[in-house]
């Protein structure tokens, strides 16, 4: 890290991913894994048909596509945040709090 104004988790993830290949591979993977998370969150609140619609809308949402290939922190942050919310709906508070803290370490806003 060259700046003290960054949160520490995403540069670490970016560095480890650069060792394996390209940073966009991880972002595309996380963006793809967010689609089922959106499905399961919506299924917890509404029915299966609304969950399918929500997952399809998220999959085709232009900003999720843009963020997955731009190399910014939004993809990782959205994945961790939604995954934490899913665990909150399932009453797994400890796992949810870990994921929500990790999302703050990726992007503090």
């Amino acid at each position: 890290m060259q700046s003290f104004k960054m949160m520490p988790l995403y540069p670490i993830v970016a560095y480890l991913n650069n060792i394996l290949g390209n940073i966009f591979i991880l972002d595309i993977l996380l963006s793809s894994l967010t689609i089922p998370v959106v499905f399961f969150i919506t299924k917890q609140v509404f029915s299966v048909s609304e969950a399918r619609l929500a997952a399809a809308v998220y999959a085709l949402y232009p900003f999720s596509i843009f963020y997955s290939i731009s190399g910014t922190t939004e993809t990782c942050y959205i994945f961790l945040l939604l995954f934490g919310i899913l665990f909150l709906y399932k009453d797994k508070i400890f796992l949810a709090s870990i994921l929500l803290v990790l999302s703050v370490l990726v992007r503090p806003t």
Side-chain angles (χ1 to χ4, degrees), residues 52-107:
R52 288 182 186 142
L53 178 65
V57 166
Y58 183 79
L60 299 174
Y61 188 59
F63 283 117
S64 68
I65 296 169
F66 169 72
Y67 288 144
S68 68
I69 59 172
S70 66
T72 59
T73 60
E74 278 83 1
T75 305
C76 188
Y77 172 73
I78 291 170
F79 174 74
L80 291 171
L81 180 71
L82 290 178
F83 209 46
I85 290 171
L86 178 64
F87 278 127
L88 284 175
Y89 272 113
K90 294 186 176 206
D91 290 328
K92 297 182 179 180
I93 306 299
F94 182 73
L95 291 173
S97 61
I98 289 173
L99 288 169
L100 293 174
V101 166
L102 288 174
S103 73
V104 170
L105 289 175
V106 170
R107 188 170 177 89

Side-chain angles (χ1 to χ4, degrees), residues 34-54:
T34 305
I35 297 169
V37 173
V38 169
F39 174 81
F40 289 122
I41 289 173
T42 311
K43 189 175 144 186
Q44 288 284 326
V45 179
F46 301 108
S47 68
V48 175
S49 60
E50 282 92 4
R52 288 182 186 142
L53 178 65

